[in-house]
Amino acid sequence: MAGLSGASRQSKHCKKCDTLKTREHFGVRQSGPREGHLSAYCKLCNSRRGSVARKRDPTLYLRVERPSKLKRMYGITVEDYDRMLSEQGGRCAICASDNTRTRRYGNMLKKDVAFSVDHCHRTGKVRGLLCSACNRVLGLIGDNPDIAQNIIKYLQRSNSIG
């Protein structure tokens, strides 16, 4: 890096939009031979490239991105997800609703909805599939069973006041 000016180390050239931007405008490669290096394209250009690709092939998310995301984020395959959903009877593991609360991903087809993959943030272990409402509740209470018990006590007390 000797000989590079401070500006060169603080900025990078996007090969797509042909613009010099700060390093924060670039994502970091998550895999491949250049893992850990900044992406060749800025985040905005990368996002646009993905949008164009999904418009060209609307099944791209279900065929490529979804399986990759499930494996990368949760260590499960689409088959694992489908098996878990079948074991849960096609319902949320908490409220037993078959409605995912219409959780829609921007890059999924309009008719496609999905249950959230619930996992322990400390261990990474997948616990089950939840509707987005139940998943949000767990997130809001920080997966704290003491708070969950307090919510139950509160609701039971409130319901008995009548």
Side-chain angles (χ1 to χ4, degrees), residues 30 61 65-77 103 105 117-121 123-126:
Q30 299 297 312
Y61 180 79
E65 295 175 10
R66 180 175 181 244
S68 175
K69 177 183 177 182
L70 287 173
K71 186 53 106 177
R72 182 182 71 251
M73 293 183 69
Y74 309 111
I76 65 173
T77 63
R103 176 180 177 153
Y105 296 93
V117 178
D118 176 47
H119 64 287
C120 174
H121 288 260
T123 65
K125 183 175 186 256
V126 172

Side-chain angles (χ1 to χ4, degrees), residues 66-156:
R66 180 175 181 244
S68 175
K69 177 183 177 182
L70 287 173
K71 186 53 106 177
R72 182 182 71 251
M73 293 183 69
Y74 309 111
I76 65 173
T77 63
V78 173
E79 291 76 20
D80 294 331
Y81 179 97
D82 292 341
R83 179 185 42 74
M84 289 169 45
L85 188 58
S86 176
E87 289 172 358
Q88 292 179 200
R91 299 178 173 281
C92 171
I94 292 179
C95 72
S97 171
D98 62 356
N99 181 352
T100 61
R101 303 293 198 271
T102 61
R103 176 180 177 153
R104 294 186 189 277
Y105 296 93
N107 42 6
M108 289 182 77
L109 300 173
K110 292 257 192 251
K111 66 181 179 2
D112 293 314
V113 291
F115 282 99
S116 301
V117 178
D118 176 47
H119 64 287
C120 174
H121 288 260
R122 191 173 40 78
T123 65
K125 183 175 186 256
V126 172
R127 298 184 285 212
L129 304 176
L130 305 178
C131 69
S132 60
C134 289
N135 192 47
R136 281 192 307 269
V137 167
L138 288 183
L140 290 170
I141 67 168
D143 293 346
N144 186 327
D146 294 332
I147 294 175
Q149 286 295 329
N150 289 341
I151 291 170
I152 292 168
K153 290 175 190 171
Y154 172 80
L155 289 173
Q156 289 172 337

Side-chain angles (χ1 to χ4, degrees), residues 2-115:
L4 285 179
S5 71
S8 296
R9 282 185 247 132
Q10 298 302 319
S11 56
K12 180 174 171 71
H13 183 262
C14 175
K15 291 183 178 184
K16 183 73 176 168
C17 64
D18 197 28
T19 306
L20 189 65
K21 297 184 176 188
T22 62
R23 297 173 64 85
E24 291 77 30
H25 286 95
F26 293 84
V28 177
R29 294 173 186 258
Q30 299 297 312
S31 62
R34 296 192 46 83
E35 180 177 354
H37 291 258
L38 294 179
S39 174
Y41 302 135
C42 69
K43 292 175 184 176
L44 183 60
C45 288
N46 249 343
S47 177
R48 287 179 181 154
R49 284 179 60 219
S51 294
V52 168
R54 282 186 290 278
K55 283 179 184 165
R56 190 174 39 236
D57 180 3
T59 67
L60 186 65
Y61 180 79
L62 293 176
R63 288 185 307 101
V64 179
E65 295 175 10
R66 180 175 181 244
S68 175
K69 177 183 177 182
L70 287 173
K71 186 53 106 177
R72 182 182 71 251
M73 293 183 69
Y74 309 111
I76 65 173
T77 63
V78 173
E79 291 76 20
D80 294 331
Y81 179 97
D82 292 341
R83 179 185 42 74
M84 289 169 45
L85 188 58
S86 176
E87 289 172 358
Q88 292 179 200
R91 299 178 173 281
C92 171
I94 292 179
C95 72
S97 171
D98 62 356
N99 181 352
T100 61
R101 303 293 198 271
T102 61
R103 176 180 177 153
R104 294 186 189 277
Y105 296 93
N107 42 6
M108 289 182 77
L109 300 173
K110 292 257 192 251
K111 66 181 179 2
D112 293 314
V113 291
F115 282 99

